[in-house]
Amino acid sequence: MVSSCNLLDYDYSPPPPSQYQITSEKVKSKIDSVLISQLDTKYIPYTFSLLETIKPTPFLKLDSLYSLRTNLRENAEDYLVLMKKYNNEIEELKNKINDEKLYHTYQIDHIYIVEKEKGYQLHEDQFKLLPNYQLQKITPILSTHLSTKEKDLFDYFTLQNPLYETGDISYNNQLDLLTYEKFNIALSNEKYNKAGLLHTILYSIEYIRQFNDFNEQKIAEGIADKWLIENHYNNFIPIYSKLTKKEQEVNSYSLIAQNKKGEVTIRFTLDLNLVITDITVE
């Protein structure tokens, strides 16, 4: 006899959320409510990192003891002795935790944008919350101004939308994947100039979408052009040198901008992500 499967009787409801998912949503909801109440302008949430639970050392030892007790085999010769030992140690640790009033905390990073009078301000902050989800501390990681164009580019970057357009869809997808992977890894590894790197990535995305290419020379020149405009070199008409690795500095590029009139030379030092790290005006 062949058993039949009745699709109408199948339970399509999603599985119940895990405790981790429940806690994560409570933490995110609390952060949202805090920012909405404290900010005097529009709050636009973007991404949250994975939630971390920060536990004092006695909590970690307690977890280890619970695990040892759970995995203890009943048929072991010293089962009763070990069970008593673990129970005593667990009780001692619990008393210590209560006496010292120790507690765990939750930690999560959040990227969000707020509207400003001119443009936007992007923030990445680390939030630490108490066990009852009350906010304990906010540690800034990144804060930088975005123009309206950069905000649109940041949205595009966040959604990881298509960058390249060739006749081969598979090739486009592969290029997009590799490019976004490079950008994301660079951002996660950057410790000292994350804001500069973010602006460089946004300009790179703009360049790729316009020219369907990642040309380091042209991107470096475009970034230098932006610096000239922002620093009021209005009459400076640059003639750029070739982007080259600096001598004895394998982690740096050099780009020289000579004024077309020959009056001023500006030397740009860029890191391997094309972020300007130093400028010399001669």
Side-chain angles (χ1 to χ4, degrees), residues 224 227-228 231 233 236 238-241 254-259 263-269 278-282:
W227 184 90
L228 292 172
N231 289 274
Y233 281 82
F236 192 98
I239 299 174
Y240 289 108
S241 69
S254 176
L255 182 69
I256 300 172
Q258 181 78 44
N259 190 0
E263 299 169 347
V264 180
T265 297
I266 302 179
R267 299 178 183 272
F268 295 92
T269 299
D278 189 49
I279 298 165
T280 304
V281 181
E282 300 174 356

Side-chain angles (χ1 to χ4, degrees), residues 121-265:
Q121 193 74 15
L122 182 144
H123 297 274
E124 181 178 6
D125 294 335
Q126 183 178 88
F127 294 82
K128 184 174 285 188
L129 294 88
L130 298 171
N132 63 356
Y133 305 109
Q134 294 304 304
L135 184 64
Q136 183 186 48
K137 184 180 180 182
I138 302 177
T139 303
I141 298 174
L142 166 68
S143 179
T144 188
H145 180 267
L146 299 181
S147 65
T148 301
K149 178 194 286 187
E150 286 180 316
K151 196 267 186 184
D152 291 340
L153 289 167
F154 183 75
D155 289 341
Y156 202 88
F157 171 57
T158 301
L159 295 171
Q160 309 278 275
N161 282 332
L163 296 173
Y164 293 91
E165 293 184 8
T166 70
D168 187 333
I169 296 177
S170 177
Y171 183 61
N172 294 341
N173 293 338
Q174 185 178 13
L175 281 178
D176 290 348
L177 183 64
L178 290 173
T179 303
Y180 278 124
E181 183 179 31
K182 177 182 177 181
F183 290 158
N184 290 326
I185 290 174
L187 270 177
S188 64
N189 291 335
E190 180 58 48
K191 304 298 181 185
Y192 305 106
N193 194 3
K194 202 167 186 177
L197 176 58
L198 178 64
H199 287 281
T200 296
I201 288 173
L202 297 181
Y203 179 79
S204 299
I205 289 173
E206 179 184 7
Y207 183 91
I208 293 170
R209 292 183 65 198
Q210 183 176 357
F211 297 103
N212 206 33
D213 183 30
F214 186 90
N215 185 312
E216 288 188 328
Q217 175 74 36
K218 293 300 182 182
I219 290 174
E221 291 178 9
I223 290 167
D225 284 342
K226 289 184 65 176
W227 184 90
L228 292 172
I229 293 169
E230 290 167 359
N231 289 274
H232 311 295
Y233 281 82
N234 301 322
N235 297 320
F236 192 98
I237 304 173
I239 299 174
Y240 289 108
S241 69
K242 184 179 179 181
L243 182 70
T244 57
K245 288 283 184 68
K246 294 191 71 173
E247 292 183 11
Q248 300 178 341
E249 292 185 36
V250 296
N251 294 324
S252 296
Y253 286 116
S254 176
L255 182 69
I256 300 172
Q258 181 78 44
N259 190 0
K260 194 171 184 180
K261 298 180 180 180
E263 299 169 347
V264 180
T265 297

Side-chain angles (χ1 to χ4, degrees), residues 25-188:
E25 289 306 312
K26 288 183 178 179
V27 167
K28 294 174 186 178
S29 177
K30 180 63 180 181
I31 292 171
D32 283 341
S33 65
V34 167
L35 291 175
I36 289 170
S37 64
Q38 291 186 356
L39 295 170
D40 57 358
T41 185
K42 185 178 180 182
Y43 156 66
I44 309 170
Y46 280 80
T47 59
F48 286 92
S49 68
L50 294 175
L51 179 69
E52 294 183 70
T53 303
I54 310 300
K55 297 182 178 182
T57 301
F59 278 89
L60 300 177
K61 291 181 179 178
L62 188 62
D63 289 343
S64 178
L65 285 171
Y66 278 131
S67 178
L68 288 171
R69 188 176 70 176
T70 300
N71 295 320
L72 189 61
R73 293 179 300 171
E74 292 188 23
N75 60 352
E77 290 185 13
D78 50 358
Y79 172 80
L80 293 178
V81 174
L82 288 174
M83 180 61 73
K84 183 178 180 180
K85 175 178 178 293
Y86 293 150
N87 284 337
N88 289 338
E89 291 180 4
I90 287 171
E91 194 62 29
E92 289 176 7
L93 263 179
K94 288 169 68 176
N95 290 334
K96 179 180 179 179
I97 289 170
N98 290 330
D99 291 342
E100 297 182 10
K101 298 181 179 179
L102 302 176
Y103 54 84
H104 66 272
T105 55
Y106 299 117
Q107 184 171 288
I108 195 168
D109 297 345
H110 180 35
I111 295 174
Y112 60 97
I113 284 177
V114 295
E115 286 189 0
K116 307 296 285 186
E117 185 175 343
K118 293 183 179 179
Y120 301 83
Q121 193 74 15
L122 182 144
H123 297 274
E124 181 178 6
D125 294 335
Q126 183 178 88
F127 294 82
K128 184 174 285 188
L129 294 88
L130 298 171
N132 63 356
Y133 305 109
Q134 294 304 304
L135 184 64
Q136 183 186 48
K137 184 180 180 182
I138 302 177
T139 303
I141 298 174
L142 166 68
S143 179
T144 188
H145 180 267
L146 299 181
S147 65
T148 301
K149 178 194 286 187
E150 286 180 316
K151 196 267 186 184
D152 291 340
L153 289 167
F154 183 75
D155 289 341
Y156 202 88
F157 171 57
T158 301
L159 295 171
Q160 309 278 275
N161 282 332
L163 296 173
Y164 293 91
E165 293 184 8
T166 70
D168 187 333
I169 296 177
S170 177
Y171 183 61
N172 294 341
N173 293 338
Q174 185 178 13
L175 281 178
D176 290 348
L177 183 64
L178 290 173
T179 303
Y180 278 124
E181 183 179 31
K182 177 182 177 181
F183 290 158
N184 290 326
I185 290 174
L187 270 177
S188 64

